[in-house]
Amino acid sequence: MQEKYAEWREFYEKNGYLVIPNFIPTQSEKRGENEVSTDEMKLQAQKLVENFFSEEDPKQREVFTTSAQANKTTEYFINSGDKVRFFFEEDAFDKNGELAVEKLKSINKIGHALHELDPVFKKFSGESKVPELAKGLGCKDPIIVQSMVIFKQPKIGGTVDIHQDSTFMNSKPLSCIAFWFPLEDVTLNNGCLWVVPGSHKSGIVDRFVLCNEGKAVQLVSADPEEKAPWKSLKEEFSKETHPDLWVPITCPAGSCVVIHGEVVHQSDKNSSPHSRYVYTFHMVESEAKYSERNWLQRPPEHPFPTFEQLAR
């Protein structure tokens, strides 16, 4: 992989995203001694969901949606930075509040400290090839801020609205970068990512910040030094009115998709009968100041880990 870094970095810096196929073995019998396969991560995610339903508080049924997100965010979500928590698909329930789909197909995502608290995802996140890629793309000494398994369930996997990751994971200077690992094939029909190449060079529009003494969140305008020259992402980049700006990212299981913190992207609803499992995490530079206004925080005694700490 070393000989590819210059080529990858050039593409990434120009476009704000990168797709690397065959980054992870897809079958456990074909992996190296210290590798984790996509099959193992997918199985572990399913086990976590099964354990959640066997132990869950029936009143704790938190739905995750990016539609009017600030108005629907609760303390269960806000306080998940150093925990493993479960969030349902918006369409998983009927009008009476009962599950309308089988349990395994009802969860939107698991977050936000899988990379540290779950042994399978921690092992993968600390594999040497992962920080080596980060370094090859220009990262210096990043800390991993959050991680998720996103299920994008068949037929009900919800839309993720147009956004920039640095809106949520803000640092001074801006340094957010996401690694996005499909555990299943990603297609046009099961909710692939869409990106606007080159949109990462002008800053960000909004910040998703804590308010009400850390018990709620709100969307506010970005700080002047990082503010992009656009009134809103939807007005500037709507896929419906500016389809020529957008590129779909379809890729096989085992790929690594790199997403710049300021690149404009979104994903559509999963209209297919197939799920779209993804493991992903976000990082920022340890030298940068992680904003104390960001929605995701940790107590001082439990700081965000480095790759070196995950590898121990």
Side-chain angles (χ1 to χ4, degrees), residues 241-257:
T241 55
H242 303 287
D244 54 309
L245 297 178
W246 292 84
V247 172
I249 298 180
T250 58
C251 52
S255 301
C256 173
V257 180

mmCIF file with all atom_site columns, all heavy atoms in Angstrom, residues 241-257:
data_model
loop_
_atom_site.group_PDB
_atom_site.id
_atom_site.type_symbol
_atom_site.label_atom_id
_atom_site.label_alt_id
_atom_site.label_comp_id
_atom_site.label_asym_id
_atom_site.label_entity_id
_atom_site.label_seq_id
_atom_site.pdbx_PDB_ins_code
_atom_site.Cartn_x
_atom_site.Cartn_y
_atom_site.Cartn_z
_atom_site.occupancy
_atom_site.B_iso_or_equiv
_atom_site.pdbx_formal_charge
_atom_site.auth_seq_id
_atom_site.auth_comp_id
_atom_site.auth_asym_id
_atom_site.auth_atom_id
_atom_site.pdbx_PDB_model_num
ATOM 1   N N   . THR A 1 241 ? -31.873 19.891 -7.518  1.00 0.00 ? 241 THR A N   1
ATOM 2   C CA  . THR A 1 241 ? -31.731 21.015 -8.441  1.00 0.00 ? 241 THR A CA  1
ATOM 3   C C   . THR A 1 241 ? -30.345 21.104 -9.079  1.00 0.00 ? 241 THR A C   1
ATOM 4   O O   . THR A 1 241 ? -30.180 21.777 -10.101 1.00 0.00 ? 241 THR A O   1
ATOM 5   C CB  . THR A 1 241 ? -32.035 22.343 -7.711  1.00 0.00 ? 241 THR A CB  1
ATOM 6   O OG1 . THR A 1 241 ? -31.195 22.456 -6.559  1.00 0.00 ? 241 THR A OG1 1
ATOM 7   C CG2 . THR A 1 241 ? -33.492 22.389 -7.273  1.00 0.00 ? 241 THR A CG2 1
ATOM 8   N N   . HIS A 1 242 ? -29.342 20.445 -8.476  1.00 0.00 ? 242 HIS A N   1
ATOM 9   C CA  . HIS A 1 242 ? -27.983 20.466 -9.029  1.00 0.00 ? 242 HIS A CA  1
ATOM 10  C C   . HIS A 1 242 ? -27.422 19.041 -9.125  1.00 0.00 ? 242 HIS A C   1
ATOM 11  O O   . HIS A 1 242 ? -26.370 18.732 -8.557  1.00 0.00 ? 242 HIS A O   1
ATOM 12  C CB  . HIS A 1 242 ? -27.063 21.312 -8.137  1.00 0.00 ? 242 HIS A CB  1
ATOM 13  C CG  . HIS A 1 242 ? -27.522 22.719 -7.939  1.00 0.00 ? 242 HIS A CG  1
ATOM 14  N ND1 . HIS A 1 242 ? -27.434 23.674 -8.925  1.00 0.00 ? 242 HIS A ND1 1
ATOM 15  C CD2 . HIS A 1 242 ? -28.074 23.336 -6.870  1.00 0.00 ? 242 HIS A CD2 1
ATOM 16  C CE1 . HIS A 1 242 ? -27.902 24.824 -8.477  1.00 0.00 ? 242 HIS A CE1 1
ATOM 17  N NE2 . HIS A 1 242 ? -28.302 24.647 -7.228  1.00 0.00 ? 242 HIS A NE2 1
ATOM 18  N N   . PRO A 1 243 ? -28.108 18.153 -9.846  1.00 0.00 ? 243 PRO A N   1
ATOM 19  C CA  . PRO A 1 243 ? -27.669 16.751 -9.888  1.00 0.00 ? 243 PRO A CA  1
ATOM 20  C C   . PRO A 1 243 ? -26.290 16.557 -10.496 1.00 0.00 ? 243 PRO A C   1
ATOM 21  O O   . PRO A 1 243 ? -25.595 15.585 -10.191 1.00 0.00 ? 243 PRO A O   1
ATOM 22  C CB  . PRO A 1 243 ? -28.745 16.071 -10.739 1.00 0.00 ? 243 PRO A CB  1
ATOM 23  C CG  . PRO A 1 243 ? -29.319 17.178 -11.583 1.00 0.00 ? 243 PRO A CG  1
ATOM 24  C CD  . PRO A 1 243 ? -29.275 18.386 -10.709 1.00 0.00 ? 243 PRO A CD  1
ATOM 25  N N   . ASP A 1 244 ? -25.873 17.488 -11.353 1.00 0.00 ? 244 ASP A N   1
ATOM 26  C CA  . ASP A 1 244 ? -24.583 17.348 -12.024 1.00 0.00 ? 244 ASP A CA  1
ATOM 27  C C   . ASP A 1 244 ? -23.400 17.533 -11.074 1.00 0.00 ? 244 ASP A C   1
ATOM 28  O O   . ASP A 1 244 ? -22.269 17.166 -11.414 1.00 0.00 ? 244 ASP A O   1
ATOM 29  C CB  . ASP A 1 244 ? -24.478 18.368 -13.160 1.00 0.00 ? 244 ASP A CB  1
ATOM 30  C CG  . ASP A 1 244 ? -24.725 19.794 -12.686 1.00 0.00 ? 244 ASP A CG  1
ATOM 31  O OD1 . ASP A 1 244 ? -25.756 20.018 -12.021 1.00 0.00 ? 244 ASP A OD1 1
ATOM 32  O OD2 . ASP A 1 244 ? -23.890 20.681 -12.979 1.00 0.00 ? 244 ASP A OD2 1
ATOM 33  N N   . LEU A 1 245 ? -23.644 18.084 -9.887  1.00 0.00 ? 245 LEU A N   1
ATOM 34  C CA  . LEU A 1 245 ? -22.562 18.305 -8.920  1.00 0.00 ? 245 LEU A CA  1
ATOM 35  C C   . LEU A 1 245 ? -22.190 17.042 -8.157  1.00 0.00 ? 245 LEU A C   1
ATOM 36  O O   . LEU A 1 245 ? -21.099 16.963 -7.589  1.00 0.00 ? 245 LEU A O   1
ATOM 37  C CB  . LEU A 1 245 ? -22.974 19.389 -7.911  1.00 0.00 ? 245 LEU A CB  1
ATOM 38  C CG  . LEU A 1 245 ? -23.242 20.795 -8.441  1.00 0.00 ? 245 LEU A CG  1
ATOM 39  C CD1 . LEU A 1 245 ? -23.692 21.706 -7.297  1.00 0.00 ? 245 LEU A CD1 1
ATOM 40  C CD2 . LEU A 1 245 ? -21.999 21.357 -9.116  1.00 0.00 ? 245 LEU A CD2 1
ATOM 41  N N   . TRP A 1 246 ? -23.071 16.071 -8.172  1.00 0.00 ? 246 TRP A N   1
ATOM 42  C CA  . TRP A 1 246 ? -22.959 14.941 -7.255  1.00 0.00 ? 246 TRP A CA  1
ATOM 43  C C   . TRP A 1 246 ? -22.379 13.692 -7.920  1.00 0.00 ? 246 TRP A C   1
ATOM 44  O O   . TRP A 1 246 ? -22.624 13.419 -9.087  1.00 0.00 ? 246 TRP A O   1
ATOM 45  C CB  . TRP A 1 246 ? -24.326 14.601 -6.674  1.00 0.00 ? 246 TRP A CB  1
ATOM 46  C CG  . TRP A 1 246 ? -24.849 15.659 -5.751  1.00 0.00 ? 246 TRP A CG  1
ATOM 47  C CD1 . TRP A 1 246 ? -25.525 16.798 -6.099  1.00 0.00 ? 246 TRP A CD1 1
ATOM 48  C CD2 . TRP A 1 246 ? -24.724 15.692 -4.334  1.00 0.00 ? 246 TRP A CD2 1
ATOM 49  N NE1 . TRP A 1 246 ? -25.828 17.531 -4.990  1.00 0.00 ? 246 TRP A NE1 1
ATOM 50  C CE2 . TRP A 1 246 ? -25.354 16.882 -3.881  1.00 0.00 ? 246 TRP A CE2 1
ATOM 51  C CE3 . TRP A 1 246 ? -24.155 14.828 -3.400  1.00 0.00 ? 246 TRP A CE3 1
ATOM 52  C CZ2 . TRP A 1 246 ? -25.417 17.220 -2.533  1.00 0.00 ? 246 TRP A CZ2 1
ATOM 53  C CZ3 . TRP A 1 246 ? -24.223 15.162 -2.053  1.00 0.00 ? 246 TRP A CZ3 1
ATOM 54  C CH2 . TRP A 1 246 ? -24.844 16.350 -1.630  1.00 0.00 ? 246 TRP A CH2 1
ATOM 55  N N   . VAL A 1 247 ? -21.626 12.935 -7.114  1.00 0.00 ? 247 VAL A N   1
ATOM 56  C CA  . VAL A 1 247 ? -21.045 11.665 -7.556  1.00 0.00 ? 247 VAL A CA  1
ATOM 57  C C   . VAL A 1 247 ? -21.436 10.581 -6.548  1.00 0.00 ? 247 VAL A C   1
ATOM 58  O O   . VAL A 1 247 ? -21.246 10.761 -5.341  1.00 0.00 ? 247 VAL A O   1
ATOM 59  C CB  . VAL A 1 247 ? -19.508 11.761 -7.637  1.00 0.00 ? 247 VAL A CB  1
ATOM 60  C CG1 . VAL A 1 247 ? -18.889 10.398 -7.892  1.00 0.00 ? 247 VAL A CG1 1
ATOM 61  C CG2 . VAL A 1 247 ? -19.097 12.752 -8.720  1.00 0.00 ? 247 VAL A CG2 1
ATOM 62  N N   . PRO A 1 248 ? -21.988 9.445  -7.013  1.00 0.00 ? 248 PRO A N   1
ATOM 63  C CA  . PRO A 1 248 ? -22.312 8.360  -6.089  1.00 0.00 ? 248 PRO A CA  1
ATOM 64  C C   . PRO A 1 248 ? -21.067 7.540  -5.753  1.00 0.00 ? 248 PRO A C   1
ATOM 65  O O   . PRO A 1 248 ? -20.187 7.356  -6.597  1.00 0.00 ? 248 PRO A O   1
ATOM 66  C CB  . PRO A 1 248 ? -23.321 7.520  -6.879  1.00 0.00 ? 248 PRO A CB  1
ATOM 67  C CG  . PRO A 1 248 ? -22.915 7.730  -8.310  1.00 0.00 ? 248 PRO A CG  1
ATOM 68  C CD  . PRO A 1 248 ? -22.400 9.150  -8.394  1.00 0.00 ? 248 PRO A CD  1
ATOM 69  N N   . ILE A 1 249 ? -21.008 7.062  -4.522  1.00 0.00 ? 249 ILE A N   1
ATOM 70  C CA  . ILE A 1 249 ? -19.907 6.186  -4.124  1.00 0.00 ? 249 ILE A CA  1
ATOM 71  C C   . ILE A 1 249 ? -20.473 4.789  -3.925  1.00 0.00 ? 249 ILE A C   1
ATOM 72  O O   . ILE A 1 249 ? -21.052 4.463  -2.890  1.00 0.00 ? 249 ILE A O   1
ATOM 73  C CB  . ILE A 1 249 ? -19.223 6.675  -2.831  1.00 0.00 ? 249 ILE A CB  1
ATOM 74  C CG1 . ILE A 1 249 ? -18.616 8.060  -3.056  1.00 0.00 ? 249 ILE A CG1 1
ATOM 75  C CG2 . ILE A 1 249 ? -18.154 5.691  -2.400  1.00 0.00 ? 249 ILE A CG2 1
ATOM 76  C CD1 . ILE A 1 249 ? -17.915 8.631  -1.839  1.00 0.00 ? 249 ILE A CD1 1
ATOM 77  N N   . THR A 1 250 ? -20.364 3.975  -4.965  1.00 0.00 ? 250 THR A N   1
ATOM 78  C CA  . THR A 1 250 ? -20.731 2.562  -4.873  1.00 0.00 ? 250 THR A CA  1
ATOM 79  C C   . THR A 1 250 ? -19.428 1.772  -4.774  1.00 0.00 ? 250 THR A C   1
ATOM 80  O O   . THR A 1 250 ? -18.470 2.055  -5.490  1.00 0.00 ? 250 THR A O   1
ATOM 81  C CB  . THR A 1 250 ? -21.539 2.119  -6.091  1.00 0.00 ? 250 THR A CB  1
ATOM 82  O OG1 . THR A 1 250 ? -20.778 2.349  -7.279  1.00 0.00 ? 250 THR A OG1 1
ATOM 83  C CG2 . THR A 1 250 ? -22.849 2.895  -6.184  1.00 0.00 ? 250 THR A CG2 1
ATOM 84  N N   . CYS A 1 251 ? -19.411 0.789  -3.896  1.00 0.00 ? 251 CYS A N   1
ATOM 85  C CA  . CYS A 1 251 ? -18.163 0.052  -3.680  1.00 0.00 ? 251 CYS A CA  1
ATOM 86  C C   . CYS A 1 251 ? -18.471 -1.284 -3.008  1.00 0.00 ? 251 CYS A C   1
ATOM 87  O O   . CYS A 1 251 ? -19.488 -1.436 -2.328  1.00 0.00 ? 251 CYS A O   1
ATOM 88  C CB  . CYS A 1 251 ? -17.182 0.860  -2.836  1.00 0.00 ? 251 CYS A CB  1
ATOM 89  S SG  . CYS A 1 251 ? -17.863 1.502  -1.288  1.00 0.00 ? 251 CYS A SG  1
ATOM 90  N N   . PRO A 1 252 ? -17.587 -2.255 -3.176  1.00 0.00 ? 252 PRO A N   1
ATOM 91  C CA  . PRO A 1 252 ? -17.818 -3.568 -2.572  1.00 0.00 ? 252 PRO A CA  1
ATOM 92  C C   . PRO A 1 252 ? -17.472 -3.591 -1.092  1.00 0.00 ? 252 PRO A C   1
ATOM 93  O O   . PRO A 1 252 ? -16.726 -2.738 -0.586  1.00 0.00 ? 252 PRO A O   1
ATOM 94  C CB  . PRO A 1 252 ? -16.886 -4.480 -3.371  1.00 0.00 ? 252 PRO A CB  1
ATOM 95  C CG  . PRO A 1 252 ? -15.774 -3.575 -3.806  1.00 0.00 ? 252 PRO A CG  1
ATOM 96  C CD  . PRO A 1 252 ? -16.405 -2.245 -4.054  1.00 0.00 ? 252 PRO A CD  1
ATOM 97  N N   . ALA A 1 253 ? -17.997 -4.578 -0.398  1.00 0.00 ? 253 ALA A N   1
ATOM 98  C CA  . ALA A 1 253 ? -17.618 -4.824 0.992   1.00 0.00 ? 253 ALA A CA  1
ATOM 99  C C   . ALA A 1 253 ? -16.105 -4.951 1.080   1.00 0.00 ? 253 ALA A C   1
ATOM 100 O O   . ALA A 1 253 ? -15.456 -5.488 0.184   1.00 0.00 ? 253 ALA A O   1
ATOM 101 C CB  . ALA A 1 253 ? -18.286 -6.090 1.499   1.00 0.00 ? 253 ALA A CB  1
ATOM 102 N N   . GLY A 1 254 ? -15.536 -4.433 2.174   1.00 0.00 ? 254 GLY A N   1
ATOM 103 C CA  . GLY A 1 254 ? -14.097 -4.504 2.362   1.00 0.00 ? 254 GLY A CA  1
ATOM 104 C C   . GLY A 1 254 ? -13.348 -3.284 1.881   1.00 0.00 ? 254 GLY A C   1
ATOM 105 O O   . GLY A 1 254 ? -12.133 -3.191 2.060   1.00 0.00 ? 254 GLY A O   1
ATOM 106 N N   . SER A 1 255 ? -14.066 -2.336 1.274   1.00 0.00 ? 255 SER A N   1
ATOM 107 C CA  . SER A 1 255 ? -13.428 -1.093 0.838   1.00 0.00 ? 255 SER A CA  1
ATOM 108 C C   . SER A 1 255 ? -13.210 -0.168 2.031   1.00 0.00 ? 255 SER A C   1
ATOM 109 O O   . SER A 1 255 ? -13.756 -0.372 3.119   1.00 0.00 ? 255 SER A O   1
ATOM 110 C CB  . SER A 1 255 ? -14.304 -0.375 -0.201  1.00 0.00 ? 255 SER A CB  1
ATOM 111 O OG  . SER A 1 255 ? -14.529 -1.176 -1.334  1.00 0.00 ? 255 SER A OG  1
ATOM 112 N N   . CYS A 1 256 ? -12.422 0.867  1.809   1.00 0.00 ? 256 CYS A N   1
ATOM 113 C CA  . CYS A 1 256 ? -12.313 1.974  2.765   1.00 0.00 ? 256 CYS A CA  1
ATOM 114 C C   . CYS A 1 256 ? -12.643 3.252  2.009   1.00 0.00 ? 256 CYS A C   1
ATOM 115 O O   . CYS A 1 256 ? -12.029 3.549  0.989   1.00 0.00 ? 256 CYS A O   1
ATOM 116 C CB  . CYS A 1 256 ? -10.910 2.066  3.359   1.00 0.00 ? 256 CYS A CB  1
ATOM 117 S SG  . CYS A 1 256 ? -10.651 3.539  4.387   1.00 0.00 ? 256 CYS A SG  1
ATOM 118 N N   . VAL A 1 257 ? -13.635 3.982  2.512   1.00 0.00 ? 257 VAL A N   1
ATOM 119 C CA  . VAL A 1 257 ? -13.983 5.276  1.947   1.00 0.00 ? 257 VAL A CA  1
ATOM 120 C C   . VAL A 1 257 ? -13.509 6.348  2.930   1.00 0.00 ? 257 VAL A C   1
ATOM 121 O O   . VAL A 1 257 ? -13.834 6.288  4.114   1.00 0.00 ? 257 VAL A O   1
ATOM 122 C CB  . VAL A 1 257 ? -15.501 5.405  1.707   1.00 0.00 ? 257 VAL A CB  1
ATOM 123 C CG1 . VAL A 1 257 ? -15.840 6.773  1.120   1.00 0.00 ? 257 VAL A CG1 1
ATOM 124 C CG2 . VAL A 1 257 ? -16.002 4.289  0.796   1.00 0.00 ? 257 VAL A CG2 1
#
